[in-house]
Amino acid sequence: MTQSTLYPSATLLISCPDQQGLVAKIANFIYANGGNIIHADQHRDEASGLFLSRIEWSLGGFNLPKELIGPAFNAIAQPLGADWQLCFSDAIPRIAIWVSRQDHCLLDLLWRHQAKEFAAAIPLIMSNHATLKPIAEQFGIDFHHVPISRDTKAEQEAQQLALLEQYNIDLVVLAKYMQILSGDFLEKFPQVINIHHSFLPAFMGAQPYHRAHERGVKIIGATAHYVTEDLDAGPIIEQDVVRITHRDDVKDLIRKGKDLERIVLARGVRLHLQNRVLVYGNRTVVFA
Amino acid sequence: MTQSTLYPSATLLISCPDQQGLVAKIANFIYANGGNIIHADQHRDEASGLFLSRIEWSLGGFNLPKELIGPAFNAIAQPLGADWQLCFSDAIPRIAIWVSRQDHCLLDLLWRHQAKEFAAAIPLIMSNHATLKPIAEQFGIDFHHVPISRDTKAEQEAQQLALLEQYNIDLVVLAKYMQILSGDFLEKFPQVINIHHSFLPAFMGAQPYHRAHERGVKIIGATAHYVTEDLDAGPIIEQDVVRITHRDDVKDLIRKGKDLERIVLARGVRLHLQNRVLVYGNRTVVFA
Amino acid sequence: MTQSTLYPSATLLISCPDQQGLVAKIANFIYANGGNIIHADQHRDEASGLFLSRIEWSLGGFNLPKELIGPAFNAIAQPLGADWQLCFSDAIPRIAIWVSRQDHCLLDLLWRHQAKEFAAAIPLIMSNHATLKPIAEQFGIDFHHVPISRDTKAEQEAQQLALLEQYNIDLVVLAKYMQILSGDFLEKFPQVINIHHSFLPAFMGAQPYHRAHERGVKIIGATAHYVTEDLDAGPIIEQDVVRITHRDDVKDLIRKGKDLERIVLARGVRLHLQNRVLVYGNRTVVFA
Amino acid sequence: MTQSTLYPSATLLISCPDQQGLVAKIANFIYANGGNIIHADQHRDEASGLFLSRIEWSLGGFNLPKELIGPAFNAIAQPLGADWQLCFSDAIPRIAIWVSRQDHCLLDLLWRHQAKEFAAAIPLIMSNHATLKPIAEQFGIDFHHVPISRDTKAEQEAQQLALLEQYNIDLVVLAKYMQILSGDFLEKFPQVINIHHSFLPAFMGAQPYHRAHERGVKIIGATAHYVTEDLDAGPIIEQDVVRITHRDDVKDLIRKGKDLERIVLARGVRLHLQNRVLVYGNRTVVFA
């Protein structure tokens, strides 16, 4: 998506009960302070009567210093009963990638990061296995091996939370982590994106490719979603699919699925990093 | 798919335990009788150890009269423990289309029939509502209104079976019929293709579009499958999908889904009529 | 796309040199007059420095009568150097469908019109052949047969223009019309949408399916575009594709292509009727 | 595609004028020598009257030693006027990857090779730039830098041919090599697969993404094809596409295209390595 790159930009993601003059009030706030809107998109959700909007403007010549934009906007937002978040294009979110034994999603994310597809830092890779340590080393990223066992899960999650704090992490990406996070963990750290290797809600849970093959489907998919306490039931960011035939056995589904997983996860992470995803209820608006 | 059209062709669909010489034995049978193979495809299912094959040959210059081909081939098939069916390209299967109130799939099938996309006859349209009678009349096809109610389902199915027999029907196509067929009915008439308006196994059962919208999926689908006693769980013939966004409400999903339903059902029916679909267990091999 | 349906809505399509305060000025105009924005989307074209926007608001409680909205907005638009058009959701555009001998796109458009997918009237079908007259009669639409020959093209186009005027037509849809319109004609009647049976710019001109088959492509496409004097080179509204294999001969490409043509043309027409397509240069912004 | 992995398999790719008994003769040859067919597929090209077939059988218990299979089959093939090639699943083809400055296709191929998606060896990477040498080193593959200049192209191609011979290369994969090979080179080494970053035949030649953006297409594609003397006009193995919108500028097209290029090239190479691609004229049959 086109972005003027000379100056950093500010992005507002807003949701509030629909009412007259919302766009005018927000646009006036930006215009009155000398901002130029680069991207503005809005959606009205009939069912909930919610107004959902993303507005991005250049900070070149904007009168308010960054630290005052939030407070100043809040004076407008509060009477509207709006939920809102403000992000800056020159803020570099810090990502922790969590993996298990499979490398394809991890390698893909790291390559895209190298190729500057993500405006983010990746200081930490965490895994319940030591298998992928060499990749972390090769890319010069700290690797922490945190084994998981049912009985000691609480302590291990405490250790994981400590690492997230230590590395000052903003977003956790589960790149085939294959472990369930507790509601307790998610309460403390809610910003988690997962890739599930099926076209959700089909084949939630374990072994989706095996079950897809058993069912004899003609198309398989992958889904990037925010993690919630309910397994594979969180807000969906992105999905895509690929055709299969009777000639494809489970090994072929896994191989073809890897390409889907890589691309769908990367798209989901990129949309999140560009502040294009607005979650409301269990749904998302993706301002693509 | 290419077919020499001067002479009718014969098609064998075979499944049997894999063993040496199957292709040779079948090919020799055809060659020895002066047939020329137009299309031959085979698949080996590792899990079941089954050999599954479709062979089509021109009857131009074939030595055996049609009525003797089956018995002659059976002599080869029996020692192989093969299940097989024999079809002729100049046999015109008779289709009954069952509908409820929606017309899009019915109109689409009738238009394709007019456009000669289906080598079949469509002498009968049946419905639990009178709504679509005018379309049947416009196309000069008999329309029978068989209302359905829970208490009298048995009698109604008996009436439906009688009509299928009266019209000498080979295949029933449920073009948005929206009613469940009993196992008893399917035992007596198993050749039924249904279109389900979701990407099965997601959203089996009622109101898939409403549930897809609730779940916030980014892609919707449609599935053509053979009907079994288990609702929406029969062997899948064909599936396809289309992208949606947060801007699409349930009405948009229904509208976009109609295009999917039309195309996926038509593909499924056409593959069946060309004897390209081989069912084994709850799966299909589609020799496309 | 969601629309509050209680009241008609007004839609502005605007393009002008990008400058500060555009969104604010437009939003204020609507808000100041008591309008509530239903849909607002904008795009900034880096190359041309153009600001391109679509804004739709409910006329429920809007202070200005329809006939004054344009003049009032013009006072804002002129100093901005803006090109703009204003449309009302309760205005029913009048479509003429032009065909040749093939019926699939015509039938599809008429079914969709019956199914209320298009907020438009279709009072006129025109053709250079009499072949499809029965379909026009069946749907109760006037059919005019205007034969085309190279030597008399000018007179024939004059006759066609007269019919467009007589029927007060807003949009011509070429549903496989297969004839080239002169620049002279297009100057007098520029609102023409065509469906081309290839993935433009591949296979411009005649016999795209034959040439696609010769080239051995693995995917075929269809393109809905506005007609310009340069054959198959006008602004593209919508495209889609379908996979083919070596088994598909030209007849199969034509059959599979028909489904693409129907859907892509319908999407293009619908987007145009919803005033979602903004043309600038030889490109379109589709506010989907 | 399913393959019994206990024993190596032999694969025949055959094309010859269609005639009776072809399948029988070939199947008998295999059966008579104790082979069990794993995969058999055939196609009849109406236009050319050619019979095109791929037959793969297990060498477990096959009576003929590898070196005698060819000569023995030739006795059958010659009277049929057949072109044929014989390949063995345990033969490991040797690939040279040619690159320029872009790394995405190279990295992707090397990852897939590591992930055992290709039954091949990759002993050589060649480039007209030194940029990607570090990647070659990281994967422990010889890297040769052969600068290209118009005046000295002949000598450079001689040097390239010498390297292909030295490394005993069977297949050259142009992974964004961005240089044209001479007809003279291709005569001496014809097995070359290229990835072109457009949906051929659209945007042949230079800067397809820039031209796609200019044209305002709504979908972009990539094409894997065998290289011939005519630029971007060789037999197509595989193509795929991805949707774009007006929001995507050239940089976005390049980014989205990278994912297409990686996947389409990998599919093309894999199909070639599995001996599933049969070239006839300027077309391919892909026995997928």
Side-chain angles (χ1 to χ4, degrees), chain C residues 124-135:
Chain C
L124 172 63
I125 296 170
M126 211 185 297
S127 179
N128 55 330
H129 297 283
T131 322
L132 303 183
K133 194 164 192 296
I135 293 173

Side-chain angles (χ1 to χ4, degrees), chain B residues 28-213:
Chain B
N28 284 335
F29 167 76
I30 294 162
Y31 181 43
N33 291 291
N36 190 27
I37 292 174
I38 296 162
H39 179 282
D41 194 356
Q42 73 150 71
H43 174 57
R44 193 185 178 290
D45 184 70
E46 290 292 320
S48 61
L50 277 180
F51 164 95
L52 307 135
S53 182
R54 179 186 190 275
I55 300 193
E56 179 176 4
W57 69 94
S58 170
L59 291 175
F62 197 62
N63 301 332
L64 291 174
K66 279 186 190 173
E67 63 278 10
L68 292 192
I69 297 176
F73 182 71
N74 201 37
I76 294 156
Q78 241 173 358
L80 302 174
D83 287 335
W84 59 277
Q85 43 181 306
L86 177 68
C87 334
F88 300 106
S89 64
D90 56 356
I92 302 302
R94 296 169 63 80
I95 299 176
I97 303 177
W98 291 20
V99 294
S100 188
R101 284 198 185 86
Q102 295 181 65
D103 64 0
H104 59 284
C105 284
L106 175 62
L107 280 167
D108 196 67
L109 291 170
L110 296 178
W111 171 76
R112 291 179 194 273
H113 186 242
Q114 255 182 0
K116 311 246 177 300
E117 284 190 24
F118 301 136
I122 305 177
L124 172 62
I125 296 171
M126 210 185 298
S127 180
N128 54 330
H129 297 284
T131 321
L132 302 184
K133 195 165 193 294
I135 294 175
E137 285 165 350
Q138 171 197 322
F139 283 84
I141 300 173
D142 291 2
F143 181 92
H144 287 266
H145 176 201
V146 182
I148 295 294
S149 67
R150 189 164 294 130
D151 336 341
T152 59
K153 184 154 187 158
E155 303 148 40
Q156 286 144 347
E157 286 195 337
Q159 193 184 340
Q160 291 169 321
L161 285 164
L163 281 163
L164 296 182
E165 193 168 19
Q166 177 195 327
Y167 282 87
N168 193 16
I169 298 300
D170 302 296
L171 174 70
V172 166
V173 176
L174 305 183
K176 311 290 293 175
Y177 177 56
M178 318 308 272
Q179 294 291 321
I180 296 170
L181 305 181
S182 73
D184 188 47
F185 176 96
L186 291 168
E187 217 167 85
K188 288 169 182 144
F189 194 95
Q191 287 286 61
V192 182
I193 292 176
N194 182 45
I195 181 71
H196 184 72
H197 42 306
S198 86
F199 182 74
L200 288 175
F203 307 120
M204 297 165 73
Q207 297 215 297
Y209 292 132
H210 291 76
R211 287 151 61 205
H213 185 262

Side-chain angles (χ1 to χ4, degrees), chain D residues 205-217:
Chain D
Q207 297 213 297
Y209 292 133
H210 291 75
R211 287 151 62 204
H213 185 262
E214 254 173 57
R215 180 62 186 94
V217 294

Side-chain angles (χ1 to χ4, degrees), chain A residues 41-43 199 201 203 213 215 217-219 232-234 236 238-239 243 246-247 282-286, chain B residues 41-43 199 201 203 213 215 218-219 232-234 236 238-239 243 246-247 282-286:
Chain A
D41 194 357
Q42 72 152 69
H43 174 57
F199 182 73
F203 308 119
H213 185 262
R215 181 60 186 95
V217 295
K218 302 303 185 186
I219 292 175
D232 301 328
I236 292 170
E238 168 68 352
Q239 302 184 290
R243 276 202 173 270
H246 58 273
R247 294 205 190 281
N282 200 47
R283 308 162 51 72
T284 62
V285 171
V286 177
Chain B
D41 194 356
Q42 73 150 71
H43 174 57
F199 182 74
F203 307 120
H213 185 262
R215 180 61 186 94
K218 302 303 185 186
I219 293 175
D232 302 328
I236 294 171
E238 169 68 350
Q239 302 184 290
R243 278 204 171 269
H246 58 274
R247 294 207 190 279
N282 200 47
R283 308 160 51 71
T284 62
V285 171
V286 177

Side-chain angles (χ1 to χ4, degrees), chain D residues 45-119:
Chain D
D45 184 70
E46 289 292 320
S48 61
L50 277 179
F51 164 94
L52 306 135
S53 182
R54 179 186 189 274
I55 300 195
E56 179 177 3
W57 69 94
S58 169
L59 291 175
F62 197 61
N63 301 332
L64 291 174
K66 279 184 189 173
E67 63 278 9
L68 292 192
I69 298 175
F73 181 71
N74 201 37
I76 294 158
Q78 242 174 359
L80 303 173
D83 287 336
W84 59 277
Q85 44 181 304
L86 178 68
C87 335
F88 299 106
S89 65
D90 56 353
I92 302 303
R94 295 169 63 80
I95 300 176
I97 302 176
W98 291 20
V99 293
S100 189
R101 283 199 185 86
Q102 296 181 65
D103 64 0
H104 58 285
C105 284
L106 174 63
L107 278 169
D108 197 67
L109 291 170
L110 297 178
W111 292 347
R112 291 179 193 273
H113 186 243
Q114 253 181 1
K116 311 246 177 301
E117 284 191 24
F118 301 136

Side-chain angles (χ1 to χ4, degrees), chain C residues 154-181:
Chain C
E155 304 148 39
Q156 286 144 346
E157 286 194 337
Q159 192 184 339
Q160 292 169 320
L161 285 164
L163 281 163
L164 297 182
E165 194 168 18
Q166 176 195 325
Y167 283 86
N168 193 16
I169 297 300
D170 302 295
L171 173 71
V172 167
V173 176
L174 305 184
K176 310 292 292 176
Y177 178 56
M178 316 309 270
Q179 295 291 320
I180 296 169
L181 305 181

